[in-house]
Amino acid sequence: MAVPARTCGASRPGPARTALRWPDRGSRPGLSARRPAARPPRPLSLLLPPLLLLPLLAAPGASAYSFPQQHTMQHWARRLEQEIDGVMRIFGGVQQLREIYKDNRNLFEVQENEPQKLVEKVAGDIESLLDRKVQALKRLADAAENFQKAHRWQDNIKEEDIVYYDAKADAELDDPESEDVERGSKASTLRLDFIEDSNFKNKVNYSYTAVQIPTDIYKGSTVILNELNWTEALENVFIENRRQDPTLLWQVFGSATGVTRYYPATPWRAPKKIDLYDVRRRPWYIQGASSPKDMVIIVDVSGSVSGLTLKLMKTSVCEMLDTLSDDDYVNVASFNEKAQPVSCFTHLVQANVRNKKVFKEAVQGMVAKGTTGYKAGFEYAFDQLQNSNITRANCNKMIMMFTDGGEDRVQDVFEKYNWPNRTVRVFTFSVGQHNYDVTPLQWMACTNKGYYFEIPSIGAIRINTQEYLDVLGRPMVLAGKEAKQVQWTNVYEDALGLGLVVTGTLPVFNLTQDGPGEKKNQLILGVMGIDVALNDIKRLTPNYTLGANGYVFAIDLNGYVLLHPNLKPQTTNFREPVTLDFLDAELEDENKEEIRRSMIDGNKGHKQIRTLVKSLDERYIDEVMRNYTWVPIRSTNYSLGLVLPPYSTFYLQANLSDQILQVKYFEFLLPSSFESEGHVFIAPREYCKELNASDNNTEFLKNFIELMEKVTPDSKQCNNFLLHNLILDTGITQQLVERVWRDQDLNTYSLLAVFAATDGGITRVFPNKAAEDWTETPEPFNASFYRRSLDNHGYVFKPPQQDARLRPLELENDTVGILVSTAVELSLGGRTLRPAVVGVKLDLEAWAEKFKVLASNRTHQDQPQKCGPNSHCEMDCEVNNEDLLCVLIDDGGFLVLSNQNHQWDQVGRFFSEVDANLMLALYNNSFYTRKESYDYQAACAPLPPGNLGAAPRGIFVPTIADFLNLAWWTSAAAWSLFQQLLYGLIYHSWFQADPAEAEGNPEVRESSCVMKQTQYYFGSVNASYNAIIDCGNCSRLFHAQRLTNTNLLFVVAEKPLCSQCEAGRLLQKETHSDGPEQCELVQRPRYRRGPHICFDYNATEDTSDCGRGASFPPSLGVLVSLQLLLLLSLPPRPQPQVHAHPSRRL
């Protein structure tokens, strides 16, 4: 039966979808008043060219206007499919391009990518590269040990006796990039000249080394001067290493005294604020100086711990956490009468960046109350270390206790858990100014192979939370050659401008003896390091033979990527290494977990999987087939993988031996040919060594042409594979112009352009004027349309990208276009490959009008069907566009075409921003599936400082109560300064300033952050589907159907009359996030393996040195000024802040 016309608020009977009809458009109250005037339709002769003379059949109707029946909408869908296919067959030129390739079969060969051979060759090349660095490291470490052993200690050495280049002497604090620098004023400081070196991306001097000494260390101390004296001999070894291997980059010795000597010499990049860089706190140094650690930190929060002491403890714990790397495991607990974890972590967890962040935030919430109970704290710590049911380092085990003092020695606890083997080291820290007897704390450390430290004030935190590493290094030194293991670090950003690097490290041991017949020295001298730029490793991998979607990757024992096309950190100023897990670099699934585990275990393997991949523009998800092949890189902790789509098993290699043909094809690259042959963009690849790169493709093409006039494609300075393929594809695409495009009238079919892009690096856009509006990247391998077309069968629509926060598209002069592309698949002798992508650029406005006509009930070309008062008609997308919404949405959920003129400027937006109600219904009915993931490499602007009184503060600001508290003034100022001066002769006493201020320029820095990404892709529904959006009085009917051989969904729906159903809105845009819940993630940790060798015990270790170890005095003048400056700088809690340039060892 007929359903009466509905109005907002009217009741509605059940979903009789095929019988719904409207009495008459004019009888709907207020309908015409709320609609904008429709644009006059274009002549049907223009909209429906002779290309597709489809019979415009009238669909079955009912009385008056009714919602279209399912078979009517299926009929419209077929017309749309045929129109798209017809245009692409004629203008895309897929078949014609296949014929052109076959006609030119003598000009190229089909080569095969053999995954196993490829990955083994690349792994072998990387092994050889790293082995050369290992040999250089060993020469340096051996030389350093011999130089130090032969060195005679000089008690009366003076600054004037040592001549060296002070890397910080040439740096201006106000402008570290300035070339007008002041030269060192001291007689002991060399003045050097520097030359620009492209390998280092810096100015260097190859005749000298440079020395960096932390600001908080007095350069004139006897220890430092002796260190400078004997390390000077390393200069000749550095130089000889470079002579043997000119590809060596930074060579560095980081000393246990804090001195850094590196080669070649270059000025230090001093920050604008306080430079507190200390090599001993860098992850590469820590990794080389000790074996992995299982650490439990316990903090006394009894009632006696309050005020400044508690603040010192909180900061000390944070500093301690910064001495841990991803090879270590940790937990933090507070104790008084009872012990409890400070965070949600109930067991040891990996000391990665995100877990340490949780700890640092939780520590700030500690509150002092109750009485001291050492027994509760130590029992908790030992229980944590004895838990064998969790993943952990299984090497050095230690407990770090921070307290203000106490009398209990808890000997019974040590007897129960740790004696007689003493497998757990105990380090005790007496924090704050007090008069407690420290003997029990010293006893705990000395009887458990640990060390006792005092942190009386701010300045003592920095050094005393890192000196425990000297104790952990003892078994390594005593193990001798067995412990001389080269380790390779995580990826990190080089501080002197090399970009992303890894560092090979090797410990340097003290081989001296304290006297005749004395025991062997067990102190580590420092760590040697040599950098390898990731770009140097990438050069060993195949560049363009793997195709646009093939790639090489490598991971370490933690599963972090060393190489991966998605390893692209957006911030260049961060202190932490780049720890991107393989499962975060790609979209995680069970198959990839299995591959990752096998690679970490050092196995070989091959597996073909169906998986999800994210598009280059991060808007789409494709389900694809991929072949993974992997092998270990011998003599390293890395494993190498190769990923190939099935269609990249073969590739074309041009064979242009005919020089006349070379010249002929080359002429089609000349701009003089563009008017007749279309505009050519060439991929900005490294075709020749002398080719000047440019971000402007016109300029790059000009540079390329000028170079080709001097050299031939067969020149030894050029990549012959790239050049020959480029020239071949120039000729191939020109023939496409000649055979197909030139004789066609694009305007007749409402096309703005036609184009072809190839693996060889050519993108040809026709006609030439269309290049003015071409916004795609000239590198096909980096173009989203190109890569998606290879992965998808049929026609891939790509609307212009829009951001909801920006203004809509401006439809002027019909220049806004929609790309439609498809891959060209060749079958040559049973070998299948896809060497090119072709497509058209649709005129948005014209095709929106054409879309209306194709989804209408026209019975002839000239006039739309009118439905009289006594006729029975179905609504269509043209006549009834005021009542009926018709859209094409792509597989990512973005609007492509609409019959609503006012929505044309919203083409390219996520459809939920256009019609949230309808998009939610499509999602709920499984037309779309959602995929959420996290981008751990994003960059975020620093948060503006808050102006609310209750907001967290970035530095410690004393409260009114503090000012009125005489004890605060006494302890925090006078007594602190007095103690600093007094203990400065005994302790390394420095406070770590805010990293953003101390180690880099914070002015325009973005900080690393986590962004949550959401993409949508087609779900399981493939058939035509009718449904109702059930929303009471505001319910809507809709029909949805996938268009065959495209990535489009055709949707017809009633236009909404009410807004009550707008509550559910799907979000697609990237949003700031804290990432997945860490407390849940640690319950299912990802598989990893630690280093193969552990040095945590040696029977000959002398543990008698267990507290108040030797030190050297800092500069008292600097000490006093910094103490006053930093006195009020103790942060109560970590704040989102701008990370400075990573203060790595250089």
Side-chain angles (χ1 to χ4, degrees):
M1 60 179 288
V3 178
R6 63 188 172 106
T7 58
C8 188
S11 60
R12 181 174 195 165
R17 292 191 289 267
T18 58
L20 179 67
R21 64 177 183 268
W22 303 116
D24 188 279
R25 269 198 306 171
S27 66
R28 252 179 119 175
L31 196 60
S32 60
R34 65 173 184 163
R35 306 294 183 192
R39 184 175 304 190
R42 299 188 176 194
L44 190 59
S45 58
L46 174 63
L47 298 175
L48 295 180
L51 162 69
L52 188 59
L53 299 177
L54 293 171
L56 300 178
L57 302 176
S63 60
Y65 280 119
S66 62
F67 189 80
Q69 298 184 53
Q70 183 168 344
H71 64 82
T72 299
M73 292 179 283
Q74 290 174 339
H75 170 66
W76 295 345
R78 285 194 298 271
R79 291 168 65 177
L80 289 166
E81 293 164 355
Q82 293 175 26
E83 183 72 8
I84 294 167
D85 184 67
V87 169
M88 288 298 292
R89 284 180 181 276
I90 289 184
F91 287 95
V94 174
Q95 186 58 41
Q96 294 90 331
L97 194 53
R98 287 197 190 104
E99 296 301 323
I100 292 171
Y101 274 108
K102 291 179 181 178
D103 292 345
N104 292 275
R105 183 64 182 83
N106 62 314
L107 300 181
F108 60 83
E109 298 174 357
V110 179
Q111 302 290 351
E112 182 177 2
N113 284 314
E114 300 181 67
Q116 194 64 40
K117 289 184 179 179
L118 266 177
V119 75
E120 287 179 354
K121 180 184 183 304
V122 174
D125 291 343
I126 294 176
E127 179 189 357
S128 298
L129 171 70
L130 298 183
D131 184 65
R132 293 196 298 271
K133 317 307 175 189
V134 167
Q135 298 309 314
L137 269 175
K138 290 180 177 178
R139 287 193 294 269
L140 283 169
D142 291 343
E145 290 172 348
N146 291 330
F147 291 152
Q148 195 274 341
K149 185 176 182 180
H151 174 256
R152 296 184 61 183
W153 180 269
Q154 301 178 47
D155 288 322
N156 299 321
I157 193 170
K158 299 179 180 179
E159 284 188 77
E160 293 76 15
D161 300 332
I162 306 297
V163 178
Y164 66 99
Y165 171 66
D166 184 350
K168 292 160 67 172
D170 284 349
E172 289 185 337
L173 290 179
D174 292 336
D175 185 8
E177 300 296 334
S178 172
E179 296 187 13
D180 184 22
V181 295
E182 297 180 3
R183 299 297 176 179
S185 58
K186 293 188 177 181
S188 61
T189 301
L190 292 172
R191 298 183 179 183
L192 304 181
D193 294 320
F194 301 95
I195 58 172
E196 194 71 36
D197 190 303
S198 59
N199 293 321
F200 287 88
K201 302 176 183 178
N202 213 329
K203 292 181 177 182
V204 299
N205 184 306
Y206 281 114
S207 299
Y208 294 91
T209 57
V211 171
Q212 189 273 349
I213 301 174
T215 303
D216 52 346
I217 292 180
Y218 176 42
K219 298 177 183 179
S221 82
T222 303
V223 173
I224 294 299
L225 293 177
N226 276 277
E227 193 82 8
L228 293 173
N229 193 16
W230 77 259
T231 58
E232 182 183 3
L234 290 173
E235 198 165 86
N236 292 330
V237 186
F238 285 139
I239 294 173
E240 176 61 20
N241 270 348
R242 182 176 179 273
R243 189 191 66 78
Q244 294 187 30
D245 182 5
T247 66
L248 280 177
L249 297 175
W250 302 119
Q251 304 175 64
V252 188
F253 174 59
S255 167
T257 62
V259 173
T260 303
R261 187 180 286 271
Y262 60 91
Y263 176 85
T266 191
W268 186 254
R269 289 191 173 185
K272 290 193 172 184
K273 298 297 179 71
I274 304 169
D275 179 19
L276 290 182
Y277 172 88
D278 189 326
V279 68
R280 296 166 296 181
R281 298 192 70 83
R282 302 315 307 143
W284 72 271
Y285 181 95
I286 294 171
Q287 176 178 301
S290 64
S291 293
K293 303 173 278 294
D294 285 324
M295 176 187 291
V296 179
I297 301 173
I298 54 176
V299 185
D300 180 0
V301 291
S302 60
S304 62
V305 178
S306 60
L308 183 61
T309 300
L310 183 58
K311 292 182 175 71
L312 291 175
M313 284 188 180
K314 292 177 180 180
T315 303
S316 298
V317 172
C318 293
E319 290 291 325
M320 180 68 71
L321 290 170
D322 283 340
T323 67
L324 303 177
S325 71
D326 292 78
D327 288 334
D328 304 320
Y329 282 74
V330 64
N331 201 357
V332 181
S334 62
F335 69 91
N336 37 42
E337 302 93 342
K338 298 187 297 183
Q340 60 182 5
V342 298
S343 70
C344 58
F345 301 144
T346 58
H347 54 74
L348 292 172
V349 297
Q350 188 181 18
N352 57 41
V353 174
R354 293 189 287 278
N355 286 341
K356 287 192 287 187
K357 180 182 177 183
V358 173
F359 282 127
K360 290 179 181 180
E361 291 175 349
V363 162
Q364 303 306 323
M366 293 190 304
V367 177
K369 61 181 178 180
T371 58
T372 303
Y374 286 159
K375 183 174 183 179
F378 277 108
E379 285 184 339
Y380 178 88
F382 280 114
D383 287 340
Q384 291 277 299
L385 293 172
Q386 289 183 352
N387 184 358
S388 60
N389 296 324
I390 58 170
T391 305
R392 56 185 187 177
N394 286 318
C395 191
N396 285 296
K397 299 178 180 62
M398 67 202 68
I399 299 172
M400 324 296 278
M401 182 181 74
F402 293 88
T403 180
D404 62 342
E407 301 296 330
D408 191 0
R409 300 191 178 200
V410 290
Q411 181 172 339
D412 57 331
V413 175
F414 297 132
E415 290 175 347
K416 176 181 178 181
Y417 288 96
N418 205 35
W419 294 355
N421 295 327
R422 293 173 170 80
T423 56
V424 178
R425 297 182 188 268
V426 175
F427 296 85
T428 56
F429 298 82
S430 175
V431 183
Q433 299 95 20
H434 50 75
N435 296 318
Y436 298 123
D437 180 12
V438 299
T439 304
L441 298 182
Q442 292 175 324
W443 180 88
M444 292 179 194
C446 293
T447 56
N448 290 280
K449 299 171 64 176
Y451 208 91
Y452 163 74
F453 299 95
E454 290 185 1
I455 303 178
S457 60
I458 292 172
I461 294 175
R462 186 175 174 86
I463 191 62
N464 285 329
T465 53
Q466 73 185 30
E467 282 203 331
Y468 76 93
L469 293 170
D470 290 342
V471 178
L472 299 189
R474 292 172 183 170
M476 292 179 62
V477 178
L478 296 173
K481 292 184 178 180
E482 184 185 356
K484 299 301 285 288
Q485 302 288 328
V486 174
Q487 298 186 68
W488 290 95
T489 67
N490 300 121
V491 177
Y492 65 95
E493 185 82 19
D494 174 55
L496 290 178
L498 280 180
L500 295 180
V501 299
V502 293
T503 299
T505 65
L506 191 62
V508 179
F509 301 150
N510 190 330
L511 302 183
T512 63
Q513 294 181 337
D514 294 333
E518 294 292 330
K519 290 184 178 180
K520 179 181 177 182
N521 197 302
Q522 57 186 15
L523 293 179
I524 189 170
L525 287 178
V527 178
M528 282 291 177
I530 288 182
D531 284 349
V532 178
L534 286 198
N535 285 336
D536 290 341
I537 300 178
K538 288 178 183 177
R539 291 189 185 99
L540 303 176
T541 64
N543 282 332
Y544 299 101
T545 59
L546 304 181
N549 290 316
Y551 57 92
V552 171
F553 71 98
I555 66 173
D556 63 14
L557 294 180
N558 279 303
Y560 299 145
V561 295
L562 164 72
L563 296 175
H564 199 284
N566 293 335
L567 179 62
K568 296 178 289 189
Q570 299 301 305
T571 54
T572 57
N573 292 273
F574 43 83
R575 302 173 65 207
E576 298 287 348
V578 182
T579 52
L580 179 66
D581 197 282
F582 169 65
L583 297 179
D584 295 322
E586 305 193 359
L587 293 177
E588 182 177 358
D589 59 37
E590 292 182 0
N591 287 315
K592 290 177 183 175
E593 288 181 14
E594 180 183 330
I595 292 168
R596 178 181 176 276
R597 175 183 285 265
S598 179
M599 294 180 72
I600 290 174
D601 287 339
N603 300 323
K604 295 183 178 180
H606 175 84
K607 189 178 184 68
Q608 184 176 75
I609 66 173
R610 178 169 290 279
T611 186
L612 299 178
V613 297
K614 197 180 300 182
S615 68
L616 202 62
D617 56 13
E618 299 181 332
R619 285 159 62 89
Y620 299 94
I621 295 287
D622 291 311
E623 187 175 10
V624 300
M625 293 296 298
R626 292 289 188 264
N627 293 307
Y628 282 75
T629 308
W630 60 94
V631 297
I633 303 175
R634 290 177 302 223
S635 304
T636 73
N637 290 332
Y638 301 133
S639 184
L640 188 76
L642 171 67
V643 181
L644 272 181
Y647 54 78
S648 291
T649 302
F650 302 97
Y651 63 94
L652 299 184
Q653 181 172 349
N655 182 19
L656 293 177
S657 57
D658 187 343
Q659 293 187 357
I660 297 177
L661 191 60
Q662 288 182 14
V663 173
K664 176 184 176 182
Y665 284 177
F666 178 76
E667 289 178 350
F668 296 126
L669 283 175
L670 302 178
S672 58
S673 69
F674 290 177
E675 195 58 40
S676 60
E677 312 299 332
H679 193 99
V680 175
F681 298 92
I682 68 171
R685 300 174 181 175
E686 193 175 342
Y687 300 102
C688 299
K689 294 179 181 178
E690 296 183 3
L691 178 58
N692 294 324
S694 175
D695 293 332
N696 184 295
N697 200 254
T698 300
E699 183 178 344
F700 181 74
L701 178 59
K702 178 184 176 183
N703 296 340
F704 177 80
I705 292 172
E706 290 177 352
L707 183 62
M708 288 297 100
E709 292 174 349
K710 302 175 184 177
V711 301
T712 68
D714 299 311
S715 172
K716 292 183 179 180
Q717 66 152 298
C718 297
N719 186 317
N720 304 137
F721 171 80
L722 290 183
L723 269 181
H724 279 253
N725 277 30
L726 180 78
I727 295 173
L728 172 64
D729 286 355
T730 303
I732 293 285
T733 55
Q734 186 277 332
Q735 293 177 44
L736 183 63
V737 176
E738 193 175 292
R739 295 191 190 185
V740 181
W741 296 346
R742 191 181 295 158
D743 296 330
Q744 298 292 343
D745 183 2
L746 302 187
N747 292 329
T748 304
Y749 299 93
S750 307
L751 303 181
L752 298 175
V754 287
F755 61 91
T758 70
D759 278 359
I762 291 293
T763 301
R764 188 179 291 274
V765 179
F766 186 88
N768 183 38
K769 65 177 182 180
E772 298 174 3
D773 300 311
W774 187 258
T775 58
E776 303 299 323
T777 174
E779 171 55 82
F781 283 15
N782 292 337
S784 183
F785 82 87
Y786 192 86
R787 296 172 68 158
R788 293 203 71 217
S789 296
L790 294 175
D791 272 335
N792 290 276
H793 292 284
Y795 309 123
V796 177
F797 281 68
K798 179 180 179 288
Q801 186 167 342
Q802 284 208 71
D803 191 316
R805 296 166 293 184
L806 304 178
R807 63 181 181 180
L809 290 172
E810 295 180 1
L811 298 174
E812 296 180 0
N813 302 321
D814 296 339
T815 57
V816 177
I818 299 169
L819 291 190
V820 188
S821 57
T822 187
V824 178
E825 185 167 286
L826 297 181
S827 183
L828 302 170
R831 294 171 292 185
T832 301
L833 63 160
R834 298 174 185 173
V837 168
V838 296
V840 301
K841 190 174 184 181
L842 307 180
D843 180 336
L844 169 60
E845 216 173 333
W847 272 79
E849 293 288 358
K850 181 181 292 192
F851 170 58
K852 293 181 188 178
V853 175
L854 292 170
S856 73
N857 297 322
R858 286 201 187 192
T859 55
H860 53 84
Q861 292 189 1
D862 297 326
Q863 297 293 330
Q865 175 177 311
K866 299 286 185 179
C867 196
N870 298 319
S871 303
H872 294 184
C873 307
E874 289 180 297
M875 289 191 290
D876 68 29
C877 300
E878 180 185 24
V879 174
N880 308 99
N881 65 335
E882 293 186 354
D883 305 313
L884 201 63
L885 172 66
C886 303
V887 292
L888 291 178
I889 313 173
D890 69 16
D891 56 328
F894 298 97
L895 179 63
V896 176
L897 286 175
S898 172
N899 72 329
Q900 305 297 310
N901 294 19
H902 69 278
Q903 291 181 353
W904 291 354
D905 61 359
Q906 299 183 68
V907 165
R909 286 192 171 174
F910 186 57
F911 192 60
S912 186
E913 299 166 10
V914 181
D915 191 328
N917 185 235
L918 183 53
M919 184 63 197
L920 183 61
L922 294 172
Y923 172 73
N924 289 337
N925 284 277
S926 299
F927 282 100
Y928 286 95
T929 299
R930 179 167 54 197
K931 181 67 177 179
E932 294 179 340
S933 59
Y934 295 94
D935 177 8
Y936 294 100
Q937 305 176 89
C940 297
L943 296 177
N947 56 5
L948 297 177
R953 294 171 291 184
I955 61 171
F956 169 61
V957 179
T959 64
I960 296 298
D962 289 327
F963 278 112
L964 297 177
N965 189 332
L966 180 61
W968 182 87
W969 274 105
T970 303
S971 64
W975 177 247
S976 176
L977 182 57
F978 173 74
Q979 285 234 324
Q980 190 71 311
L981 294 171
L982 181 63
Y983 292 128
L985 302 175
I986 302 175
Y987 300 104
H988 303 285
S989 304
W990 293 98
F991 172 72
Q992 180 181 2
D994 173 57
E997 297 183 356
E999 300 178 11
N1001 173 13
E1003 292 182 359
V1004 291
R1005 306 299 190 193
E1006 292 182 316
S1007 60
S1008 177
C1009 62
V1010 180
M1011 299 295 287
K1012 183 178 181 180
Q1013 295 183 342
T1014 305
Q1015 288 90 14
Y1016 293 81
Y1017 60 101
F1018 281 152
S1020 58
V1021 177
N1022 290 311
S1024 178
Y1025 191 82
N1026 283 348
I1028 186 170
I1029 303 174
D1030 189 5
C1031 192
N1033 297 335
C1034 299
S1035 297
R1036 300 166 64 188
L1037 291 172
F1038 76 91
H1039 167 90
Q1041 178 174 344
R1042 294 265 295 273
L1043 294 189
T1044 305
N1045 210 35
T1046 73
N1047 66 325
L1048 297 179
L1049 181 69
F1050 176 42
V1051 183
V1052 178
E1054 294 176 322
K1055 294 188 70 173
L1057 290 177
C1058 310
S1059 59
Q1060 284 91 328
C1061 290
E1062 291 293 323
R1065 179 182 293 271
L1066 298 178
L1067 298 178
Q1068 189 274 336
K1069 66 179 181 180
E1070 197 174 51
T1071 57
H1072 188 274
S1073 171
D1074 291 330
E1077 178 55 54
Q1078 287 298 117
C1079 302
E1080 297 177 4
L1081 287 182
V1082 297
Q1083 302 303 323
R1084 49 183 192 282
R1086 287 171 172 168
Y1087 180 71
R1088 65 171 298 277
R1089 290 180 62 187
H1092 302 298
I1093 300 178
C1094 169
F1095 298 96
D1096 61 341
Y1097 172 78
N1098 190 288
T1100 63
E1101 179 183 348
D1102 179 8
T1103 61
S1104 61
D1105 180 12
C1106 56
R1108 299 203 176 202
S1111 180
F1112 53 89
S1115 167
L1116 299 187
V1118 176
L1119 180 77
V1120 174
S1121 60
L1122 281 181
Q1123 179 66 37
L1124 293 174
L1125 177 66
L1126 300 176
L1127 186 60
L1128 302 179
S1129 300
L1130 185 63
R1133 63 191 62 137
Q1135 294 296 306
Q1137 55 187 301
V1138 182
H1139 292 292
H1141 200 283
S1143 62
R1144 58 176 292 271
R1145 51 173 182 65
L1146 288 184

